[in-house]
């Protein structure tokens, strides 16, 4: 049989599954894992909001749970709102004029921020709606997590993958801190077959050097948490460009 002819057949673990089907575990081919894990831990979940009032209500609840610092939310889709109007800085100022606020659209290519966030970022906008590169100064104004917080974010992200049934992911990263967090966590807590990648962690210094030389670039990727290859983000890019007419 073909299975018997395979070089590893002699040492393979064989099990009778009674005619059931075995499928390989899915691998996420394009995943902003630490970004998503950070938001899942720290930000208001705005996915599924059907109105601006619901969005502001969820932000207000997050404000009460998290009494200081930046107030962020993720995943809203203004096209679900009755008037399909994008949230503005005036809307977000209703939640707070003292604390900076940022909410990101479900595509990740557009945000709305309040007046305080614009002030801290040194950005001028009549609406508070920003897309693509104009978002960067606002994100740069948000304090970075500490080293320990990054490791906790990595742990949470890998847990989300496991609970979703994924056996691997190609994780897009923006900073050396994200790479260090993934490497540190996986070194101390090998995840299944990822343990064999331990010998390849030497690549992380090369990865970090690349990111230091190209700050702000978003085409550096860890493949299976270690290998690097280029993959410019393409998902929802056209929608992002289409949203630019909303921004001032």
């Amino acid at each position: 049989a073909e299975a018997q002819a395979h070089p590893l057949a002699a040492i393979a673990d064989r099990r009778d599954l009674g005619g059931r089907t075995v499928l390989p575990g899915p691998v996420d081919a394009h995943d902003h894992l630490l970004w998503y894990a950070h938001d899942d831990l720290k930000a208001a979940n705005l996915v599924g909001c059907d109105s601006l009032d619901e969005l502001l209500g969820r932000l207000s609840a997050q404000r009460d749970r998290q009494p200081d610092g930046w107030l962020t939310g993720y995943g809203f889709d203004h096209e679900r709102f009755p008037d399909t109007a994008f949230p503005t800085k005036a809307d977000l100022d209703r939640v707070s004029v003292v604390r900076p606020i940022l909410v990101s659209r479900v595509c990740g290519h557009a945000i709305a921020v309040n007046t305080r966030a614009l002030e801290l970022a040194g950005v001028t906008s009549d609406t508070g709606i920003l897309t693509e590169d104009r978002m960067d100064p606002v994100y740069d104004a948000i304090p970075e997590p500490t080293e320990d917080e990054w490791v906790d974010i990595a742990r949470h992200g890998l847990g989300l993958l496991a609970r979703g049934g994924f056996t691997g992911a190609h994780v897009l990263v923006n900073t050396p801190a994200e790479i260090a967090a993934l490497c540190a966590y996986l070194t101390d807590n090998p995840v299944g077959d990822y343990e064999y990648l331990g010998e390849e962690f030497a690549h992380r210094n090369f990865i970090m050097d690349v990111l230091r030389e190209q700050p702000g670039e978003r085409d550096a990727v860890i493949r299976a948490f270690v290998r690097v290859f280029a993959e410019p983000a393409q998902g929802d890019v056209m929608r992002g460009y289409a949203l630019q007419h909303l921004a001032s």
Side-chain angles (χ1 to χ4, degrees):
E2 183 179 346
Q4 295 292 339
H6 193 283
L8 297 179
I11 60 172
D13 180 15
R14 302 178 184 179
R15 301 187 185 186
D16 183 355
L17 300 178
R20 287 173 290 183
T21 301
V22 176
L23 299 175
V27 175
D28 193 324
H30 181 119
D31 193 331
H32 298 267
L33 181 65
L34 272 68
W35 180 7
Y36 178 76
H38 174 274
D39 281 353
D40 194 56
L41 285 171
K42 305 289 187 180
N45 184 344
L46 306 178
V47 175
C49 285
D50 289 322
S51 67
L52 174 63
D53 285 343
E54 183 177 0
L55 181 151
L56 297 179
R58 294 192 194 184
L59 272 179
S60 297
Q62 183 72 10
R63 176 199 61 201
D64 296 340
R65 289 191 296 268
Q66 181 184 316
D68 52 32
W70 279 72
L71 183 59
T72 60
Y74 69 93
F76 77 88
D77 182 357
H78 65 291
E79 293 176 10
R80 296 175 61 98
F81 300 171
D83 59 1
T84 69
F86 209 97
T88 67
K89 68 178 182 182
D91 297 322
L92 299 180
D93 283 345
R94 291 162 54 189
V95 176
S96 178
V97 294
V98 176
R99 296 176 58 185
I101 300 175
L102 179 154
V103 294
S104 60
R105 192 185 179 278
V106 65
C107 63
H109 293 271
I111 61 175
V113 298
N114 71 343
T115 301
R116 181 57 178 153
L118 289 171
E119 291 171 351
L120 292 176
V123 174
T124 300
S125 170
D126 292 337
T127 63
I129 301 171
L130 306 172
T131 63
E132 304 300 350
D133 292 346
R134 291 206 69 204
M135 303 187 298
D136 291 346
V138 183
Y139 279 114
D140 290 343
I142 300 176
E144 278 281 311
T146 66
E147 184 175 323
D148 288 342
E149 287 172 336
W150 269 125
V151 173
D152 191 51
I153 291 167
R155 174 201 58 76
H156 184 65
L158 292 169
L160 292 172
L161 280 178
R163 288 195 292 277
F166 290 92
T167 57
H170 298 179
V171 180
L172 285 82
V173 295
N174 291 335
T175 67
E178 295 176 56
I179 299 169
L182 283 169
C183 291
Y185 183 79
L186 288 170
T187 298
D188 295 335
N189 304 275
V191 181
D193 291 337
Y194 290 126
E195 189 169 2
Y196 85 96
L197 292 173
E199 64 192 38
E200 300 184 29
F201 282 137
H203 290 299
R204 65 185 171 185
N205 291 329
F206 168 74
I207 299 168
M208 291 182 192
D209 288 342
V210 169
L211 287 173
R212 288 194 188 100
E213 292 170 8
Q214 299 178 332
E217 290 294 325
R218 296 184 179 181
D219 61 355
V221 182
I222 298 180
R223 184 174 186 176
F225 307 117
V226 176
R227 300 190 183 99
V228 179
F229 65 101
E231 180 189 85
Q234 296 178 357
D236 277 324
V237 167
M238 295 309 296
R239 177 174 290 278
Y241 285 129
L243 289 169
Q244 287 188 13
H245 75 279
L246 292 169
S248 61

